[in-house]
Amino acid sequence: PARFPNLLVNGSNGIAVGMATNIPPHNLTEVINGVICMIDNPECTIEDLMQHIKGPDFPTGGTIYGYQGVRDAFETGKGRIIIRSNADIEADENGRERIIITELPYGVVKADLVKDIAALVSEKKIEGISDISDQSKRDIRIVIEIKRDANAQVVLNKLYKFTALQSSFSVNNIALVKGRPKLLNLRDLISNFI
């Protein structure tokens, strides 16, 4: 017994013999509202629950890119969610553009990301970056200085393509139900909790 659906709120991942689970974390308020919806209306559909539970809520931020992966995960228990870093392009006092990264996809290590970007620049796989610096204190802030003749949006798109600034989270909602592993959709996860 638990006071709230820990499995949905905290998420879980693990590997066993022949199977694996990878459940993303969700917003506590949304999940509780979904539970209340099912208690009030036991015949509610996954679509009804999705009015309350919009999608995973990753603690490191980032933006879910496209909704089909979330829908697949909620309807079937399996899905691939693409997460993009939050990045803004702004100009400094000299008019030079720079990319400011303020949120990273779930599970991406900031130090490794900075190293990977620096390696891609030195290997000339990404052109147009003059400098990269990690100015993070409490919040994430990675600043990528763009060369004068380069287009910041083109550089950002290449960073999404070649680095973990855009990554995917493969959802696989396998949980033990009465001692047996079972693939569960959103409705199954909530009804088993209730």
Side-chain angles (χ1 to χ4, degrees):
R3 289 178 181 265
F4 62 92
N6 289 295
L7 196 58
L8 264 174
V9 173
N10 294 327
S12 180
N13 67 336
I15 301 170
V17 179
M19 65 187 64
T21 188
N22 204 17
I23 303 171
H26 293 77
N27 181 282
L28 175 63
T29 304
E30 291 179 1
V31 171
I32 296 297
N33 288 337
V35 170
I36 292 168
C37 172
M38 186 173 271
I39 289 171
D40 291 345
N41 176 15
E43 303 302 314
C44 70
T45 64
I46 292 172
E47 201 67 41
D48 296 334
L49 292 171
M50 286 172 64
Q51 298 301 313
H52 301 284
I53 305 171
K54 307 293 185 196
D57 187 10
F58 297 106
T60 55
T63 303
I64 293 175
Y65 193 66
Y67 197 69
Q68 190 58 47
V70 174
R71 182 174 293 284
D72 291 344
F74 283 166
E75 290 174 353
T76 67
K78 280 181 171 274
R80 189 168 162 266
I81 300 170
I82 296 171
I83 312 160
R84 271 192 171 181
S85 300
N86 285 1
D88 295 313
I89 297 171
E90 58 183 49
D92 64 9
E93 59 280 348
N94 300 328
R96 288 180 57 186
E97 288 185 313
R98 59 185 177 183
I99 299 169
I100 314 264
I101 300 161
T102 54
E103 293 180 4
L104 296 176
Y106 188 56
V108 173
V109 178
K110 182 181 59 173
D112 293 345
L113 175 70
V114 172
K115 265 191 248 168
D116 292 345
I117 294 171
L120 287 168
V121 170
S122 67
E123 293 167 11
K124 304 231 184 288
K125 284 190 178 175
I126 296 180
E127 304 273 329
I129 294 176
S130 63
D131 187 42
I132 179 168
S133 61
D134 182 1
Q135 300 176 359
S136 305
K137 288 186 177 59
R138 289 189 71 152
D139 297 326
I140 292 171
R141 182 178 166 87
I142 300 169
V143 179
I144 300 169
E145 302 286 344
I146 305 299
K147 291 180 181 173
R148 285 204 184 278
D149 58 344
N151 182 327
Q153 190 60 55
V154 171
V155 172
L156 182 58
N157 289 342
K158 285 185 178 177
L159 288 169
Y160 283 139
K161 183 176 180 182
F162 294 122
T163 70
L165 277 184
Q166 176 175 306
S167 61
S168 64
F169 186 94
S170 296
V171 177
N172 195 19
N173 292 336
I174 292 181
L176 295 176
V177 179
K178 296 186 172 94
R180 292 182 179 267
K182 192 173 174 189
L183 183 66
L184 304 169
N185 62 29
L186 181 63
R187 191 174 193 293
D188 296 336
L189 283 163
I190 292 175
S191 66
N192 279 301
F193 167 74
I194 293 169

